[in-house]
Amino acid sequence: SSAYYRILFEVVNECSFLTAKRDGSYQIHMHGYELAECAGLSRETTSRELKKLKENKWIKISRRFITVKDLEKLKIELDSKI
């Protein structure tokens, strides 16, 4: 769905401003509602799409931030849409 790719784009974009941690992950200090605002989506839709990324084990969601475990896989997924 287009919502899925909008969330992917926002997550990949946010990582571009960050430095990877030693384990190669990225921590985005952003709540789900903030990500929803950036993507122009509802909180419910954003939550549903983030859950898909979490099920693929590409991200981890906590109360304070989103941890991107595999940025390269997210980029590949995003590129498949373009």
Side-chain angles (χ1 to χ4, degrees):
S1 74
S2 67
Y4 176 76
Y5 290 101
R6 287 164 77 178
I7 293 298
L8 265 177
F9 174 81
E10 292 300 334
V11 170
V12 170
N13 187 52
E14 285 297 319
C15 288
S16 70
F17 298 106
L18 303 172
T19 302
K21 295 174 72 177
R22 286 186 182 181
D23 64 359
S25 68
Y26 293 81
Q27 282 192 339
I28 301 171
H29 294 272
M30 181 181 278
H31 295 278
Y33 72 89
E34 294 170 306
L35 186 59
E37 279 184 15
C38 289
L41 300 168
S42 70
R43 290 171 62 178
E44 295 80 10
T45 300
T46 299
S47 178
R48 185 173 52 248
E49 301 307 328
L50 284 173
K51 185 177 177 184
K52 292 175 186 176
L53 297 177
K54 183 180 175 186
E55 287 171 354
N56 284 330
K57 302 189 186 319
W58 295 339
I59 67 168
K60 180 181 174 185
I61 303 168
S62 67
R63 295 180 83 187
R64 296 186 186 170
F65 46 83
I66 299 166
T67 302
V68 176
K69 296 167 141 185
D70 196 333
L71 180 59
E72 288 308 309
K73 285 191 180 170
L74 292 180
K75 287 179 177 179
I76 291 167
E77 181 78 359
L78 184 60
D79 286 345
S80 73
K81 173 68 174 170
I82 299 173

